[in-house]
C-alpha cells in the first residue's frame, strides 16, 4: 500500500514524525553540517536532537567569518551549545561516545574550549576523544603569526595545564606547527593518561636536539611524525606502540632510534634525500626490541639507505617480517639490495616494488644524486 501524499501545512512534518532512534540513526550517517540542515525542517530539532547525538565532530573550518576571532567565536559557541544539557521536557540524557574537535590555536578561546568539554568527558562515557590543532588558511594568517611557532608551543602547553581534566581523557592528539622545549612533550604525554594516537606535523624543538619519548606507562599505540625538525626521534620506551609513521625528516643523523617498543608491528618511512643528508643503515634505527615487526614500508627513492655489511645485522630484527613495500624506486637502482632484504626476512609473504619516477624527471637542486646503491652479494634466495 502506498503512503498518502505529503501535504504542505499538515500538523507534523514527516521528519518529526519519525521515532527518535530512527531519526538519530539517519543523522549520525551524515556530517554535522548536513545533520543541521536536515534538522532545520524538523520541529523537534532546536531543543531535542542535538543533545542526543552520541558522536560529534566539530571542525572550525566549517564555520564562517572574516577573521580568526569571528570564526573561533562561532566554533566555541557551537561547541558549548551541543555539549550543554538538554532543557526540553524529554528528560533524556545522552552519552557522547565520540568527540572530535578540530580548532585553531586562538589563545582567547582555548580555555573556553576546555571548560565546554570537561563536564562531558569527566563522566567517563566518552570512548574516543580527540583534539586536532589545525593551521588557518593563508588568507587568515599573517607572515608574523606563521613564524611564531615557539610562542604557539607555549600557548598550547599553557592550555594543557589549565585544562587537566580534558587532557586526561584525550585518546587522540594531532598538532601542527608548534615548537616545544625538551621537557614539554614528556610533560604533555604524562598528562594524557588515555592517549593512544599522537601526530606531530611540522613541529620541532626550540633547540635542535633529540626528541625523546620515554613513556613506559603510556597507552600510546600509534605515533606519526611528519616534517618534524629535530636531530633525531628517540623512542626510549613506548611499550604499547604498534604503528609508527615518519615522513620527510630534516636531520643529518638517522631519523629514528628504537628503544623498548616490544609491540611494534608496522613502520612506514618515507623521505626525499637531500644533498646534505648522508645515508644510514637500517640497523642504525632498529633494535632487537623490534622483533615483532611484521610490516615495513619504505618510500621516496630510498637513497637514504646505506648498505648493510651482512644480512645478520637485520635478521634478528626482521625475523617476523611478512609484508614489505618499496615505493618510488628510481630507475637507476638494481635489485641487489632488495634480495638482501629478502635474505634478512625469512618469513616474508608479501613484497611490493613500485617505480613511479622516470629517469628524466627533474628534481630540486638540493636532492641527493640518484646513483645506484650497491649491496654486498650473498646467498640470495630465489624469487
Amino acid at each position: 500500500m502506498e503512503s498518502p501524499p505529503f501535504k504542505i501545512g499538515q500538523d507534523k512534518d514527516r521528519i518529526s514524525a519519525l521515532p527518535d532512534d530512527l531519526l538519530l540513526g539517519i543523522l549520525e550517517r551524515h556530517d554535522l553540517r548536513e545533520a543541521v540542515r536536515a534538522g532545520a525542517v524538523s520541529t523537534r530539532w532546536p531543543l531535542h536532537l542535538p543533545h542526543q547525538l552520541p558522536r560529534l565532530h566539530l571542525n572550525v573550518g566549517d564555520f564562517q567569518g572574516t577573521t580568526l576571532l569571528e570564526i573561533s567565536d562561532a566554533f566555541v559557541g557551537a561547541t558549548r551549545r551541543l555539549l550543554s544539557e538538554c532543557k526540553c521536557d524529554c528528560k533524556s540524557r545522552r552519552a557522547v561516545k565520540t568527540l572530535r574537535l578540530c580548532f585553531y590555536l586562538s589563545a582567547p578561546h582555548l580555555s573556553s574550549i576546555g571548560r565546554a568539554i570537561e563536564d562531558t568527558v569527566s563522566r567517563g562515557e566518552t570512548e574516543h576523544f580527540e583534539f586536532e590543532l589545525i593551521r588557518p588558511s593563508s588568507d587568515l594568517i599573517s607572515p608574523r603569526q606563521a613564524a611564531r611557532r615557539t610562542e604557539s608551543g607555549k600557548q598550547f602547553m599553557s592550555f594543557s595545564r589549565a585544562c587537566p581534566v580534558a587532557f586526561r581523557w584525550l585518546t587522540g592528539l594531532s598538532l601542527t606547527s608548534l615548537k616545544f622545549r625538551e621537557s614539554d612533550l614528556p610533560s604533555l604525554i604524562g598528562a594524557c593518561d588515555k592517549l593512544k594516537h599522537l601526530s606531530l606535523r611540522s613541529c620541532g624543538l626550540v633547540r635542535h636536539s633529540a626528541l625523546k619519548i620515554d613513556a613506559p606507562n603510556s597507552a600510546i599505540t600509534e605515533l606519526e611524525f611528519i616534517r618534524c625538525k629535530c636531530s633525531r626521534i628517540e623512542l626510549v620506551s613506548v611499550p604499547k606502540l604498534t604503528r609508527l609513521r615518519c615522513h620527510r625528516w630534516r636531520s643529518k643523523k638517522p631519523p629514528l632510534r628504537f628503544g623498548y617498543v616490544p609491540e611494534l608491528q608496522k613502520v612506514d618511512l618515507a623521505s626525499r634525500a637531500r644533498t646534505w643528508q648522508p645515508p644510514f643503515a637500517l640497523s642504525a634505527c632498529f633494535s632487537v626490541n623490534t622483533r615483532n615487526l611484521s610490516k615495513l614500508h619504505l618510500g621516496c627513492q630510498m637513497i637514504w639507505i646505506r648498505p648493510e655489511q651482512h644480512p645478520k645485522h637485520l635478521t634478528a630484527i626482521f625475523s617476523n617480517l611478512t609484508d614489505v613495500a618499496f615505493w618510488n624506486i628510481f630507475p637507476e637502482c638494481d635489485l641487489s639490495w632488495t634480495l638482501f632484504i629478502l635474505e634478512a626476512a625469512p618469513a616474508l609473504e608479501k613484497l611490493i616494488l613500485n617505480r613511479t619516477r622516470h629517469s628524466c624527471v627533474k628534481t630540486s637542486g638540493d636532492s641527493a644524486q640518484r646513483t645506484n646503491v650497491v649491496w654486498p652479494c650473498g646467498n640470495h634466495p630465489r624469487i
Side-chain angles (χ1 to χ4, degrees):
M1 180 180 295
E2 296 183 358
S3 301
F6 176 72
K7 296 180 180 180
I8 298 176
Q10 65 186 43
D11 292 338
K12 289 188 176 181
D13 60 79
R14 287 188 172 182
I15 291 181
S16 295
L18 294 174
D20 284 355
D21 292 344
L22 180 58
L23 185 55
L24 287 173
I26 294 173
L27 296 180
E28 285 176 27
R29 286 164 173 77
H30 296 79
D31 62 34
L32 194 58
R33 286 187 298 176
E34 292 176 337
V36 171
R37 292 192 186 103
V41 297
S42 171
T43 58
R44 289 184 298 168
W45 174 262
L47 294 177
H48 186 63
L49 293 181
H51 302 274
Q52 292 297 307
L53 291 171
R55 286 178 284 275
L56 296 176
H57 177 190
L58 286 168
N59 191 326
V60 69
D62 293 335
F63 294 83
Q64 296 181 346
T66 58
T67 65
L68 285 177
L69 183 62
E70 290 181 2
I71 296 172
S72 295
D73 280 343
F75 172 81
V76 172
T79 302
R80 284 175 172 170
R81 288 191 297 272
L82 286 169
L83 295 178
S84 62
E85 291 291 337
C86 181
K87 297 180 181 180
C88 61
D89 296 332
C90 65
K91 297 181 180 181
S92 59
R93 179 179 175 274
R94 58 93 184 266
V96 179
K97 297 296 183 181
T98 299
L99 178 60
R100 185 181 182 193
L101 301 180
C102 304
F103 53 91
Y104 301 142
L105 186 65
S106 175
H109 299 90
L110 292 178
S111 59
S112 298
I113 293 173
R115 289 193 298 269
I117 60 179
E118 284 190 339
D119 287 343
T120 298
V121 298
S122 61
R123 298 172 190 156
E125 299 170 324
T126 305
E127 299 170 358
H128 304 283
F129 173 36
E130 301 180 25
F131 276 163
E132 181 178 356
L133 185 66
I134 58 178
R135 282 176 58 85
S137 58
S138 57
D139 58 335
L140 290 173
I141 189 169
S142 67
R144 183 179 179 182
Q145 286 175 312
R148 293 174 58 189
R149 295 186 180 184
T150 301
E151 184 63 29
S152 297
K154 292 180 180 178
Q155 288 181 8
F156 189 82
M157 291 304 300
S158 296
F159 173 40
S160 68
R161 290 189 290 268
C163 303
V165 175
F167 278 80
R168 190 179 308 135
W169 289 92
L170 273 180
T171 60
L173 180 60
S174 299
L175 304 177
T176 303
S177 301
L178 301 179
K179 275 193 173 182
F180 298 101
R181 297 173 301 175
E182 291 184 12
S183 60
D184 285 344
L185 277 177
S187 175
L188 183 60
I189 293 174
C192 302
D193 296 344
K194 300 182 182 299
L195 189 65
K196 294 182 178 180
H197 171 82
L198 175 63
S199 174
L200 300 178
R201 293 174 175 264
S202 299
C203 293
L205 298 177
V206 176
R207 294 183 178 181
H208 193 71
S209 56
L211 192 162
K212 297 182 179 180
I213 298 182
D214 187 3
N217 298 317
S218 75
I220 294 176
T221 60
E222 187 171 355
L223 287 171
E224 181 181 63
F225 303 99
I226 310 293
R227 298 185 302 273
C228 286
K229 295 183 178 180
C230 55
S231 62
R232 174 186 282 183
I233 298 169
E234 296 185 9
L235 305 180
V236 180
S237 178
V238 196
K240 295 184 179 180
L241 182 67
T242 60
R243 299 167 64 93
L244 174 79
R245 186 181 184 211
C246 183
H247 285 197
R248 301 172 66 179
W249 52 83
R250 302 298 300 271
S251 60
K252 293 183 178 180
K253 299 178 181 180
L256 290 163
R257 183 61 183 172
F258 294 98
Y260 186 64
V261 285
E263 300 298 322
L264 186 63
Q265 298 174 13
K266 181 178 180 179
V267 173
D268 184 348
L269 303 177
S271 186
R272 180 167 58 88
R274 312 281 180 166
T275 54
W276 46 269
Q277 289 178 310
F280 61 87
L282 290 176
S283 58
C285 292
F286 295 92
S287 70
V288 293
N289 290 312
T290 58
R291 290 184 177 180
N292 279 326
L293 186 67
S294 60
K295 294 183 180 180
L296 177 64
H297 292 185
L298 306 175
C300 291
Q301 302 182 37
M302 293 167 293
I303 306 171
W304 38 267
I305 295 180
R306 190 182 72 194
E308 303 283 344
Q309 294 299 316
H310 196 278
K312 67 180 182 180
H313 294 155
L314 294 174
T315 300
I317 301 168
F318 292 170
S319 59
N320 291 313
L321 200 61
T322 59
D323 185 335
V324 174
F326 301 104
W327 302 99
N328 295 338
I329 301 173
F330 60 95
E332 296 85 353
C333 186
D334 62 28
L335 294 178
S336 62
W337 56 273
T338 309
L339 297 174
F340 192 90
I341 297 292
L342 290 175
E343 187 173 351
L348 193 65
E349 298 175 357
K350 182 179 180 181
L351 175 65
I352 297 176
L353 298 177
N354 172 268
R355 189 183 75 172
T356 58
R357 299 184 62 87
H358 193 272
S359 58
C360 64
V361 175
K362 294 182 179 180
T363 57
S364 60
D366 65 342
S367 295
Q369 185 179 0
R370 294 185 298 175
T371 57
N372 186 34
V373 179
V374 180
W375 289 63
C377 295
N379 297 320
H380 301 309
R382 294 182 180 179
I383 298 179

